[in-house]
């Protein structure tokens, strides 16, 4: 029990002038943004880990059937290797969330920051902390940019030559548009979540819990669902679209036939069902080739061909064949919400689903 928790003189609000109290809502908004940002990044990493695990299992099964397992070297790229650039508040909270909630092994997470000596708590866990951005990018296949917008041009200049085509860059620098990031990095495999804050909102984000603890609270976790508008912070659903196409790119990099990719997508995103789905399986959505590419491309794509490589920056800025499906299919939205909560260990019924924002803010 925290004996000081209710002590008024130690509260953030104590001593603030009455005329300044109207600005206190910014504290809740800031915390809500960090919670949502960490939740969505954690969910994406969970998806990638599950995908890689599924690919490994299927590869092992094929090798056992053909007797080639002993002659097949382990693919080091099958491991998710995450690098965080920036060791400030967001970088630290993200690292804790990835370690505890994905969970990512300490040896698969590294942090590059100007003050590595301030990350002693992570170094004790076995995480390498240093200040060498190009070295980090050479090692990782997933990079989080948790730096200030003013630092980003210099960092991009440092790392752009080290970025491999398949490396996913995930930027939290809201002030730098994704089109600008593409130019700075000379790279297209970029994700940048965009959040819209509404003026009047109920602060549900709390004040004292660690981010990892907050994300294990059912009410808070449901408020972070991609389609939820609870807490006054709305995620632009183009981010979720980018997540899908990023996974398609991972499969394309492995030269995987598109029919096999669709099977993986259905297993990855649509494997968790409501009770009534078992009674009426026809109501469950299933991904088809035409959901992701246009009709002309569909007609000319042979069964053994992989998907094309997608520019993720264009996916998040323009309409795609998948845009309407994500924004209008309530069945898909419900299943994705269920999967999201289930990935954090929270079970939902249809009646318990959080309030859904059917529209999405402009880019």
């Amino acid at each position: 029990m925290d004996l000081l928790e209710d002590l008024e003189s130690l509260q953030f609000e104590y001593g603030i002038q009455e005329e300044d109290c109207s600005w206190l809502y910014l504290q809740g908004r800031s915390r809500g943004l960090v919670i949502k940002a960490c939740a969505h990044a954690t969910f994406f990493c969970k998806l990638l880990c599950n995908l890689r695990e599924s690919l490994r299992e299927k590869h092992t099964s094929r090798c056992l059937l053909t007797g080639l397992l002993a002659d097949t070297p382990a693919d080091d790229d099958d491991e998710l290797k995450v690098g965080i650039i920036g060791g400030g508040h967001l970088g630290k909270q993200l690292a804790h969330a990835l370690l505890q909630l994905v969970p990512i092994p300490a040896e698969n997470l590294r942090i590059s920051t100007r003050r590595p000596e301030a990350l002693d708590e992570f170094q004790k866990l076995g995480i390498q902390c240093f200040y060498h951005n190009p070295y980090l990018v050479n090692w990782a296949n997933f990079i989080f940019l948790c730096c200030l917008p003013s630092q980003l041009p210099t960092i991009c200049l440092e790392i752009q030559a080290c970025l491999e085509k398949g490396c996913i860059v995930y930027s939290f620098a809201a002030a730098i548009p994704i089109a600008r990031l593409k130019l700075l990095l000379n790279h297209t495999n970029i994700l940048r979540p965009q959040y819209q804050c509404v003026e009047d909102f109920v602060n549900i984000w709390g004040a004292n819990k660690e981010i990892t603890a907050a994300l294990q609270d059912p009410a808070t976790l449901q408020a972070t669902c991609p389609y939820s508008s609870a807490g006054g912070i709305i995620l632009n659903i183009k981010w979720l679209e980018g997540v899908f196409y990023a996974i398609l790119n991972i499969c394309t990099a492995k030269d995987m036939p598109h029919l096999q990719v669709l099977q993986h997508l259905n297993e990855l995103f649509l494997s968790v069902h409501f009770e009534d789905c078992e009674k009426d399986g026809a109501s469950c959505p299933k991904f088809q080739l035409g959901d992701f590419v246009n009709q002309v491309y569909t007609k000319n794509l042979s069964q053994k061909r992989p998907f094309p490589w997608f520019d993720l920056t264009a996916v998040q800025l323009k309409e795609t064949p998948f845009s309407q499906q994500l924004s209008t299919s309530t069945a898909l939205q419900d299943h994705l919400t269920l999967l999201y909560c289930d990935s954090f260990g929270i079970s939902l019924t249809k009646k318990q689903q959080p309030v859904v924002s059917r529209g999405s803010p402009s880019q």
Side-chain angles (χ1 to χ4, degrees):
M1 181 182 297
D2 186 354
L3 297 178
L4 302 180
E5 184 176 355
D6 297 321
L7 192 60
E8 183 180 351
S9 60
L10 292 181
Q11 300 303 307
F12 178 82
E13 299 85 356
Y14 186 80
I16 294 180
Q17 299 298 319
E18 185 175 348
E19 61 269 20
D20 295 327
C21 286
S22 60
W23 298 104
L24 285 174
Y25 77 96
L26 291 173
Q27 182 193 22
R29 174 181 290 180
S30 175
R31 178 171 168 80
L33 283 168
V34 173
I35 290 175
K36 276 209 166 187
C38 289
H40 298 152
T42 299
F43 175 62
F44 186 31
C45 285
K46 283 174 177 283
L47 289 174
L48 295 183
C49 288
N50 291 341
L51 174 66
R52 290 169 188 272
E53 181 63 29
S54 175
L55 294 177
R56 274 197 300 270
E57 289 177 358
K58 284 182 168 53
H59 175 72
T60 301
S61 297
R62 286 195 300 270
C63 290
L64 287 171
L65 288 173
T66 57
L68 296 175
L69 184 60
D71 300 324
T72 306
D75 187 354
D76 186 52
D77 198 43
D78 280 346
E79 293 290 332
L80 183 63
K81 295 179 290 186
V82 177
I84 298 176
I85 296 181
H89 177 66
L90 177 58
K92 290 177 181 177
Q93 296 294 339
L94 176 63
H96 280 300
L98 297 180
L99 283 170
Q100 297 178 41
L101 302 179
V102 175
I104 290 178
E107 61 270 19
N108 286 7
L109 177 63
R110 298 179 184 179
I111 304 173
S112 177
T113 175
R114 290 182 298 175
R115 296 186 57 225
E117 68 278 3
L119 300 182
D120 184 58
E121 59 179 310
F122 293 106
Q123 296 186 53
K124 288 179 180 177
L125 296 174
I127 297 171
Q128 292 189 35
C129 303
F130 46 78
Y131 183 35
H132 198 313
N133 296 329
Y135 174 76
L136 181 73
V137 172
N138 271 321
W139 169 81
N141 50 30
F142 193 135
I143 294 292
F144 284 106
L145 298 178
C146 300
C147 49
L148 296 173
S150 60
Q151 300 168 342
L152 204 54
T154 301
I155 290 173
C156 290
L157 189 62
E158 288 178 342
I159 69 175
Q160 63 171 232
C162 307
L163 281 170
E164 294 188 0
K165 183 179 180 180
C167 181
I168 298 173
V169 178
Y170 194 111
S171 175
F172 289 109
I176 307 295
I178 196 167
R180 173 69 173 155
L181 268 177
K182 178 181 178 179
L183 292 174
L184 289 171
L185 288 169
N186 191 27
H187 193 65
T188 64
N189 218 30
I190 303 171
L191 276 175
R192 192 197 68 135
Q194 185 176 357
Y195 301 96
Q196 178 182 350
C197 300
V198 300
E199 290 187 8
D200 298 320
F201 73 98
V202 178
N203 183 10
I204 62 172
W205 304 111
N208 299 319
K209 286 184 180 178
E210 293 291 332
I211 300 298
T212 51
L215 291 178
Q216 293 173 74
D217 173 69
T220 303
L221 191 278
Q222 289 179 46
T224 69
C225 288
Y227 286 101
S228 173
S229 58
I233 301 171
I234 303 171
L235 170 69
N236 188 328
I237 214 61
K238 293 294 283 184
W239 170 84
L240 190 54
E241 202 169 330
V243 165
F244 273 87
Y245 281 93
I247 289 174
L248 292 181
N249 280 350
I250 291 173
C251 296
T252 297
K254 295 181 177 294
D255 205 30
M256 189 183 300
H258 69 272
L259 291 178
Q260 191 177 338
V261 176
L262 290 171
Q263 180 183 349
H264 278 294
L265 284 182
N266 284 317
E267 292 174 357
L268 187 65
F269 287 97
L270 302 175
S271 59
V272 184
H273 300 278
F274 293 103
E275 290 182 5
D276 57 357
C277 292
E278 299 176 4
K279 303 174 185 176
D280 182 20
S283 64
C284 294
K286 291 290 181 185
F287 297 121
Q288 308 292 332
L289 178 60
D291 291 335
F292 302 101
V293 293
N294 60 43
Q295 293 182 357
V296 175
Y297 199 91
T298 300
K299 292 178 181 178
N300 296 321
L301 192 63
S302 64
Q303 291 188 357
K304 294 185 178 180
R305 286 278 304 278
F307 276 98
W309 186 267
F310 295 101
D311 179 341
L312 297 189
T313 65
V315 166
Q316 293 164 89
L317 291 172
K318 302 175 182 178
E319 290 295 300
T320 73
F322 198 45
S323 299
Q324 188 173 10
Q325 182 88 333
L326 270 182
S327 60
T328 62
S329 172
T330 55
L332 179 57
Q333 292 174 5
D334 290 345
H335 276 75
L336 292 177
T337 298
L338 182 65
L339 170 71
Y340 179 86
C341 291
D342 183 77
S343 71
F344 286 92
I346 295 176
S347 299
L348 287 183
T349 65
K350 279 196 173 182
K351 292 181 179 180
Q352 293 174 316
Q353 283 196 91
V355 177
V356 170
S357 172
R358 299 298 181 190
S360 37
S362 57
Q363 187 76 13

